[in-house]
Amino acid sequence: DGGITQSPKYLFRKEGQNVTLSCEQNLNHDAMYWYRQDPGQGLRLIYYSQIVNDFQKGDIAEGYSVSREKKESFPLTVTSAQKNPTAFYLCASSTDRGPGNQPQHFGDGTRLSIL
Amino acid sequence: AQKITQTQPGMFVQEKEAVTLDCTYDTSDPSYGLFWYKQPSSGEMIFLIYQGSYDQQNATEGRYSLNFQKARKSANLVISASQLGDSAMYFCAMREGIGTGRRALTFGSGTRLQVQP
């Protein structure tokens, strides 16, 4: 079945540590996205990529970094510069073809907490 | 200014009744799209329905319909014949610049719907 796989499901970060969240899709989608969700809140865009080797900052990119070396993969690194990383992280993808009504497809998310 | 506003943090509805979840939006772009997603307690985001700014008719998908009032900049989700499995968070989201390359969404803060037996 086609879909988006995020791993791990739960992640704990120590003070001063960088951690990387994995996102893989086999939907052959060009665009991929990372969102952050705080408890009781909506999703906020961290980074997005519309093509391999290219990505743009979203609304809350500070303290995060990404790479897009393969079409299928869009890992997110939460750096030590992100002082409040505890949140639910959702990865999504969408096709770039068509009239624009194609929805984003989401993974099951990663819950990140500080130790 | 908030681009997407959902003014109902929580809603209750009796099973089999209809419920309307409110969403207002703010954009100066003439070409945009509005999406509704459902998020159960497990966390995944499930796409429900889409409305484009140039669509002449209100969108419908099974028990879901969209009450789109362009002049008022509102796109309310109507769920008919509520079921216990409809209990979840519901998010309204907007994509601006349809026809350009950008496909990222701006989300509202969500409405938690609880369906009571």
Side-chain angles (χ1 to χ4, degrees):
Chain A
D1 275 2
I4 299 176
T5 302
Q6 289 187 243
S7 62
K9 196 173 178 70
Y10 299 95
L11 187 58
F12 297 92
R13 195 191 89 170
K14 293 181 181 178
E15 201 73 36
Q17 186 183 41
N18 293 354
V19 292
T20 297
L21 285 61
S22 170
C23 178
E24 304 275 332
Q25 56 100 357
N26 60 5
L27 299 166
N28 199 32
H29 285 168
D30 296 300
M32 297 187 73
Y33 314 83
W34 274 105
Y35 293 93
R36 169 179 171 142
Q37 185 179 26
D38 292 286
Q41 302 292 318
L43 280 65
R44 292 183 292 166
L45 182 67
I46 305 172
Y47 268 99
Y48 66 101
S49 168
Q50 296 184 169
I51 196 170
V52 173
N53 291 324
D54 187 46
F55 47 82
Q56 285 79 41
K57 292 181 179 180
D59 301 319
I60 55 165
E62 186 173 348
Y64 301 96
S65 66
V66 293
S67 63
R68 187 88 186 275
E69 297 175 3
K70 299 187 300 182
K71 186 176 184 177
E72 302 79 18
S73 179
F74 192 40
L76 173 74
T77 296
V78 184
T79 74
S80 56
Q82 173 49 247
K83 297 306 179 189
N84 184 21
T86 297
F88 187 50
Y89 291 86
L90 284 156
C91 178
S93 72
S94 68
T95 179
D96 250 356
R97 299 176 183 85
N101 61 345
Q102 286 81 11
Q104 291 183 11
H105 298 259
F106 285 82
D108 289 341
T110 293
R111 292 192 187 277
L112 175 62
S113 302
I114 294 182
L115 278 178
Chain B
Q2 292 282 345
K3 289 207 169 193
I4 298 284
T5 303
Q6 295 181 254
T7 57
Q8 306 152 312
M11 291 278 286
F12 289 91
V13 65
Q14 292 294 122
E15 198 176 3
K16 300 179 186 174
E17 304 264 312
V19 63
T20 298
L21 306 183
D22 294 342
C23 172
T24 57
Y25 59 91
D26 183 27
T27 182
S28 56
D29 195 328
S31 181
Y32 55 90
L34 296 153
F35 298 79
W36 276 91
Y37 283 85
K38 171 184 178 181
Q39 186 180 42
S41 57
S42 51
E44 75 268 30
M45 297 286 283
I46 302 167
F47 166 69
L48 297 178
I49 196 167
Y50 168 85
Q51 180 82 47
S53 59
Y54 293 122
D55 292 344
Q56 295 296 314
Q57 294 187 327
N58 287 346
T60 60
E61 287 287 347
R63 294 188 298 112
Y64 304 107
S65 60
L66 223 152
N67 183 2
F68 182 49
Q69 298 188 46
K70 194 170 180 178
R72 293 186 177 186
K73 293 188 175 179
S74 75
N76 299 338
L77 177 70
V78 181
I79 305 175
S80 63
S82 297
Q83 301 171 356
L84 295 177
D86 293 335
S87 294
M89 282 288 286
Y90 288 81
F91 291 98
C92 179
M94 177 171 63
R95 182 191 158 213
E96 296 172 281
I98 299 284
T100 68
R102 181 180 164 97
R103 299 216 170 210
L105 298 175
T106 303
F107 285 82
S109 56
T111 296
R112 181 171 297 283
L113 176 67
Q114 295 188 56
V115 180
Q116 298 174 318

